[in-house]
Amino acid sequence: MPTKTKTLQIPTADGQADAFAAFPDRGERHPGVLLYTDIFGLRPVLKEMARELAGHGYYVLVPNLYYRHGPAPVIELPEHITAEIRPAVFAQLLPLYEAHTAERARRDADAYLRFLTTQPEVGTGPVAAMGYCMGGVLAMRTAADHPDQVAAVAAFHPGSLVTDAPESPHRLIPAITAQVHLGHAENDMTPEAISELNQALDATGVGYTSEVYPGTVHGFTMSDTEAFNPSALQHHWDRLLPLLGRTLSHS
């Protein structure tokens, strides 16, 4: 269906987060989806993915995770992130990524969900949290912190879901009540880490799928990087859309 877009400012505990929103171009209310970006941040490819998802009947909110450092794009990004320039880009982004602590992420999630659920185009039912790369980790944290609001969570090539840290996302899984889909790249996590993650999900009793997408490397959904895998991106839509259809109300 046709979509509309907006650039918005989200009030947070630490200032104003600029954000992009896409939603169906008609006067009804639609289920809300909070979409967290990968480490490269809010940029054209994420806006296009938000528009694609909005075309299926959702209000999609994509905040600039690095808003404390300035509006998106916080650093100048090339149109295509190749293997040759990736290290230089990462060197610029790593301080921003490291500054985005679990406590900051928690405060931001509170603000993002409060904003999302009060938009006039968003329905009154539960919402979804989803993300790519670091955004998948943030989506899992948001689902754990807001089990009464988040009915679906999806993470694609999330990577660091099982770590030795006390705040490791896999330790938060007992608080999740949402249905879950995890789409791993082949080089994201060891089989042992994925097994530990799946065991934690088994213990909750929630409905979930956790699968390694064949022939993929980390970042496979992002068409502006060399990691992009078109068939894996389609597989991601084939998993994401039924998950949202099952869990979010379109009434």
Coordinates of all heavy atoms in Angstrom, one line a residue, residues 170-180 197-208:
H170 N 21.3 -12.6 26.6 CA 20.8 -13.9 26.8 C 20.3 -14.1 28.3 O 19.5 -14.9 28.6 CB 21.7 -15.1 26.4 CG 22.8 -15.4 27.3 ND1 23.9 -14.6 27.6 CD2 23.0 -16.5 28.1 CE1 24.7 -15.2 28.4 NE2 24.2 -16.3 28.8
R171 N 20.9 -13.3 29.2 CA 20.6 -13.4 30.6 C 19.2 -12.7 30.9 O 18.6 -12.9 31.9 CB 21.6 -12.8 31.5 CG 23.0 -13.4 31.3 CD 24.0 -12.9 32.3 NE 25.4 -13.1 31.9 CZ 26.0 -14.2 32.0 NH1 25.5 -15.3 32.4 NH2 27.3 -14.3 31.5
L172 N 18.8 -11.9 29.9 CA 17.5 -11.1 30.1 C 16.3 -11.9 29.5 O 15.2 -11.5 29.7 CB 17.6 -9.8 29.3 CG 18.8 -8.9 29.7 CD1 18.8 -7.6 28.9 CD2 18.8 -8.6 31.2
I173 N 16.6 -13.0 28.8 CA 15.5 -13.7 28.1 C 14.4 -14.2 29.0 O 13.3 -14.2 28.6 CB 16.2 -14.9 27.3 CG1 16.8 -14.3 26.0 CG2 15.1 -15.9 26.9 CD1 17.6 -15.4 25.2
P174 N 14.7 -14.6 30.3 CA 13.6 -15.0 31.1 C 12.5 -14.0 31.3 O 11.3 -14.3 31.6 CB 14.2 -15.3 32.5 CG 15.6 -15.7 32.1 CD 16.0 -14.8 30.9
A175 N 12.8 -12.7 31.0 CA 11.7 -11.6 31.1 C 10.9 -11.4 29.9 O 9.9 -10.7 29.9 CB 12.4 -10.3 31.5
I176 N 11.3 -12.1 28.8 CA 10.6 -11.9 27.5 C 9.4 -12.7 27.4 O 9.4 -13.9 27.7 CB 11.6 -12.2 26.3 CG1 12.7 -11.2 26.2 CG2 10.8 -12.3 25.0 CD1 13.7 -11.5 25.2
T177 N 8.3 -12.0 27.0 CA 7.0 -12.7 26.7 C 6.7 -12.7 25.3 O 5.7 -13.3 24.9 CB 5.9 -12.1 27.6 OG1 5.7 -10.7 27.2 CG2 6.2 -12.2 29.1
A178 N 7.4 -11.9 24.5 CA 7.1 -11.8 23.1 C 7.5 -13.0 22.3 O 8.3 -13.8 22.7 CB 7.9 -10.6 22.5
Q179 N 6.8 -13.2 21.1 CA 7.3 -14.2 20.2 C 8.6 -13.7 19.5 O 8.7 -12.5 19.3 CB 6.3 -14.5 19.1 CG 5.1 -15.3 19.7 CD 4.2 -15.8 18.6 OE1 4.6 -16.2 17.5 NE2 2.9 -15.9 18.9
V180 N 9.5 -14.6 19.2 CA 10.9 -14.2 18.8 C 11.3 -14.8 17.5 O 11.0 -16.0 17.3 CB 11.9 -14.6 19.9 CG1 13.3 -14.2 19.6 CG2 11.5 -14.0 21.3
L197 N 21.8 -19.8 23.7 CA 20.7 -18.9 23.5 C 19.4 -19.6 23.3 O 18.4 -19.2 23.9 CB 21.1 -18.1 22.2 CG 20.1 -17.0 21.8 CD1 20.2 -15.8 22.8 CD2 20.5 -16.4 20.4
N198 N 19.4 -20.7 22.5 CA 18.1 -21.4 22.3 C 17.6 -22.1 23.6 O 16.4 -22.2 23.8 CB 18.3 -22.4 21.2 CG 18.6 -21.7 19.8 OD1 18.4 -20.5 19.7 ND2 19.0 -22.5 18.9
Q199 N 18.6 -22.6 24.4 CA 18.2 -23.2 25.6 C 17.5 -22.2 26.6 O 16.5 -22.5 27.2 CB 19.4 -23.8 26.3 CG 19.9 -25.1 25.7 CD 21.2 -25.6 26.3 OE1 21.5 -25.2 27.4 NE2 21.9 -26.3 25.5
A200 N 18.0 -20.9 26.6 CA 17.4 -19.9 27.4 C 16.0 -19.6 26.9 O 15.1 -19.4 27.7 CB 18.3 -18.6 27.3
L201 N 15.8 -19.6 25.5 CA 14.5 -19.3 25.0 C 13.5 -20.5 25.3 O 12.4 -20.3 25.6 CB 14.6 -19.1 23.5 CG 15.2 -17.7 23.1 CD1 15.6 -17.8 21.6 CD2 14.1 -16.7 23.3
D202 N 14.1 -21.7 25.2 CA 13.3 -22.9 25.5 C 12.7 -22.8 26.9 O 11.5 -23.2 27.2 CB 14.1 -24.2 25.4 CG 14.4 -24.6 24.0 OD1 13.6 -24.2 23.1 OD2 15.4 -25.3 23.7
A203 N 13.5 -22.3 27.8 CA 13.1 -22.3 29.2 C 12.0 -21.3 29.5 O 11.2 -21.4 30.4 CB 14.3 -21.9 30.1
T204 N 11.8 -20.3 28.6 CA 10.8 -19.3 28.8 C 9.4 -19.8 28.4 O 8.4 -19.3 28.8 CB 11.0 -18.0 28.0 OG1 10.9 -18.3 26.6 CG2 12.4 -17.4 28.3
G205 N 9.4 -20.8 27.4 CA 8.1 -21.3 26.9 C 7.5 -20.4 25.8 O 6.4 -20.7 25.3
V206 N 8.2 -19.3 25.4 CA 7.7 -18.4 24.3 C 7.9 -19.1 23.0 O 8.8 -19.9 22.8 CB 8.4 -17.0 24.3 CG1 8.2 -16.3 25.7 CG2 9.8 -17.1 24.0
G207 N 7.0 -18.7 22.0 CA 7.2 -19.2 20.7 C 8.4 -18.5 20.0 O 8.5 -17.3 20.1
Y208 N 9.3 -19.3 19.4 CA 10.5 -18.6 18.8 C 11.0 -19.5 17.7 O 10.8 -20.7 17.6 CB 11.6 -18.4 19.8 CG 12.4 -19.6 20.2 CD1 13.6 -19.8 19.5 CD2 12.1 -20.5 21.1 CE1 14.4 -21.0 19.8 CE2 12.8 -21.6 21.4 CZ 14.0 -21.8 20.7 OH 14.8 -22.9 21.0

